[in-house]
Amino acid sequence: MIRLQSILILLMLGLITAGCGNRTELNDLGITTATGFDRKNGKWIITYQVIVPPASSSIGSSSGGSQSPVNTFSSEGKTIREAVAQSSVENPKRLYFAHTNVVLIGEEAARYGIAEIMDHYYRNIGARESAKLIIADGQAKEYLKKLIPPEKQPGRALSEILERNNEKGSYYPVMNIHEVGLKITSDSGSAGIPGVTTDTLSDNKQSSIDIFKETSIPGNLRLQGLSVFLKDKKIGMLNQKESMGITWLTDRVNWTNLTYKGAKGEVNSFLVRKAKVKVVPVKKGLHYAVQVDAKVDAELDESTSGEDIVRTHTIHDLQRQAEQVIQAQILDGWRGNQRLHVDMLGIANKIHQRHPKEWKVLKDNWSSELAQMDININVNVTLERVGLLQDSFSKLLGEQKD
């Protein structure tokens, strides 16, 4: 009986103390919201943007705040893990990367190659491959020092900017680490990552919490350009028009706006609400060509046209004009793709999947095959609505004058 009681006591003690040996207090963690990677003098420089919890909750509230919502510091090393280890000589917190929203890569590091960064994120448990990637126009650490009002956490603000652009404009794709890893290791071997820039990189005004008292911020951070990677190295840039074309060709358009000026000087604007784009490699003779079929649903959200907009032939004209605008955007993306001699459409992957024997013949000369490839674009736009106003306001003004 005594032995049974002793065993029960030992079991109860085991249950009470289980799971407490490796506990980490929340106050001991330095939660990063953004991480930057730069290269300088043959070394990696890693910059950490760490959340300061009390300041993050007070700025913007009635109680005010005198402390920055984030703390930024850098460490360097010959390898990424060495640089992370070096952070311990000046940082009292245990860095926690699971809540990192974005990873910024500096221009020099992007040109050097991101293979070591990818390896770091895939190999270590604490890092998350779901973090979004952005290429900085300059050194990443300079961007991580800047606050982005009204959002208290700059890393989260950059992540939200990427998401808003993806939802409302579709000018640049949102790319996380895993998506980039899949693309640059595929047969196509290329990927596009949005870039960020500012007109006031050397201005320290945006590094102070006084910026939260301003109503207008000079030189705020903005997305600009699509950095094109071949394997793990950045080889060039696409401008916004070319990037929009690539977004069409990779079927990543959500909502976007089409604006153009007509033959009579009228301005029309369409809101694209739904789009489906199919890109198929088609063999013609000895070489492949690209067949693009796009089906788009849109609505008219602005017009200065003097025509009767609800008439059938006017709607047909508007649809045809919208189709021409989309065709021009797709062609811009295709030309950018050809200019950099890359396969951002993933054509090589499709040929490999559908015709593996032919791909064995093509893969050694894929660059030359891609260079002489033609494209055929077919766009079908359906104008679903013309808005609450049937005639344009400009036409109403004209009728009153008569």
Side-chain angles (χ1 to χ4, degrees):
M1 187 63 183
I2 295 174
R3 179 179 292 179
L4 181 60
Q5 288 179 343
S6 300
I7 292 173
L8 288 172
I9 291 171
L10 286 173
L11 287 173
M12 291 178 67
L13 286 172
L15 289 171
I16 293 171
T17 58
C20 298
N22 295 324
R23 71 182 187 276
T24 301
E25 296 292 341
L26 188 59
N27 290 337
D28 294 335
L29 295 178
I31 300 174
T32 62
T33 183
T35 307
F37 291 87
D38 289 302
R39 288 285 297 183
K40 190 174 183 181
N41 300 326
K43 290 186 176 181
W44 286 102
I45 300 174
I46 305 181
T47 304
Y48 317 91
Q49 194 177 78
V50 182
I51 299 172
V52 182
S56 294
S57 61
S58 62
I59 286 184
S61 67
S62 58
S63 61
S66 58
Q67 189 178 6
S68 172
V70 292
N71 173 255
T72 304
F73 70 99
S74 302
S75 62
E76 66 176 56
K78 293 178 182 176
T79 65
I80 291 175
R81 290 310 300 176
E82 183 181 277
V84 173
Q86 282 292 324
S87 68
S88 62
V89 303
E90 60 175 303
N91 176 51
K93 303 282 189 180
R94 177 185 167 189
L95 294 175
Y96 186 69
F97 297 99
H99 289 285
T100 299
N101 291 290
V102 295
V103 171
L104 264 74
I105 300 175
E107 177 69 22
E108 191 172 338
R111 298 275 182 188
Y112 170 79
I114 60 173
E116 292 174 60
I117 299 173
M118 305 297 288
D119 189 86
H120 167 72
Y121 272 86
Y122 276 111
R123 192 176 298 279
N124 295 287
I125 297 173
R128 297 287 190 272
E129 302 91 6
S130 57
K132 301 178 182 72
L133 274 175
I134 303 178
I135 306 302
D137 182 19
Q139 285 198 311
K141 69 175 185 180
E142 298 300 329
Y143 286 85
L144 292 182
K145 293 176 183 176
K146 294 184 176 296
L147 298 170
I148 310 175
E151 181 59 61
K152 297 165 191 171
Q153 299 172 16
R156 183 176 177 181
L158 284 172
S159 175
E160 292 294 323
I161 290 172
L162 285 170
E163 291 293 344
R164 293 293 85 74
N165 159 71
N166 186 50
E167 291 174 4
K168 301 300 181 184
S170 301
Y171 302 120
Y172 302 106
V174 179
M175 299 294 291
N176 63 38
I177 290 172
H178 185 57
E179 287 175 312
V180 172
L182 289 177
K183 282 183 173 290
I184 63 177
T185 56
S186 69
D187 293 312
S188 297
S190 62
I193 305 175
V196 64
T197 189
T198 178
D199 297 328
T200 56
L201 187 59
S202 57
D203 187 353
N204 294 324
K205 188 176 181 181
Q206 213 168 328
S207 303
S208 168
I209 60 171
D210 290 339
I211 198 69
F212 285 95
K213 301 174 184 176
E214 303 288 339
T215 56
S216 177
I217 304 166
N220 211 347
L221 305 190
R222 65 181 183 279
L223 298 180
Q224 182 172 297
L226 188 71
S227 294
V228 177
F229 281 73
L230 182 59
K231 297 302 180 181
D232 73 319
K233 292 179 174 55
K234 177 180 172 179
I235 60 163
M237 289 279 291
L238 296 182
N239 59 35
Q240 183 171 307
K241 286 184 178 179
E242 293 169 330
S243 176
M244 186 68 221
I246 296 297
T247 307
W248 281 110
L249 288 166
T250 49
D251 195 23
R252 299 188 67 146
V253 173
N254 296 311
W255 283 20
T256 192
N257 179 265
L258 306 173
T259 301
Y260 66 91
K261 195 170 185 178
K264 297 179 181 177
E266 77 278 13
V267 177
N268 291 316
S269 175
F270 292 89
L271 175 65
V272 173
R273 287 187 172 273
K274 186 179 178 182
K276 182 65 180 175
V277 183
K278 195 173 181 180
V279 177
V280 180
V282 179
K283 193 164 188 181
K284 293 185 176 179
L286 297 175
H287 301 287
Y288 273 91
V290 178
Q291 176 65 41
V292 180
D293 292 296
K295 189 175 181 182
V296 179
D297 293 341
E299 63 181 56
L300 186 70
D301 59 0
E302 188 175 339
S303 177
T304 61
S305 173
E307 301 292 331
D308 187 351
I309 292 176
V310 295
R311 293 182 64 180
T312 303
H313 82 272
T314 307
I315 290 177
H316 286 166
D317 286 345
L318 290 170
Q319 290 178 160
R320 181 177 51 79
Q321 291 161 3
E323 289 166 359
Q324 290 173 349
V325 173
I326 294 172
Q327 284 179 344
Q329 291 182 345
I330 291 175
L331 205 52
D332 282 338
W334 174 252
R335 286 170 178 159
N337 187 75
Q338 297 292 79
R339 175 171 56 83
L340 295 177
H341 306 291
V342 290
D343 178 14
M344 298 186 69
L345 285 63
I347 303 168
N349 303 336
K350 293 176 181 176
I351 294 177
H352 190 180
Q353 289 169 2
R354 298 175 186 182
H355 311 288
K357 290 182 180 177
E358 290 192 25
W359 173 246
K360 286 183 180 178
V361 179
L362 285 174
K363 65 179 182 181
D364 292 333
N365 299 307
W366 180 237
S367 296
S368 59
E369 179 70 20
L370 190 68
Q372 56 187 327
M373 201 171 281
D374 293 325
I375 187 170
N376 181 41
I377 305 168
N378 178 39
V379 181
N380 183 14
V381 173
T382 301
L383 186 60
E384 294 190 324
R385 284 181 289 271
V386 297
L388 299 176
L389 190 63
Q390 292 189 350
D391 291 331
S392 71
F393 203 78
S394 298
K395 184 180 179 184
L396 295 177
L397 289 173
E399 288 178 349
Q400 286 177 0
K401 287 175 183 177
D402 294 337

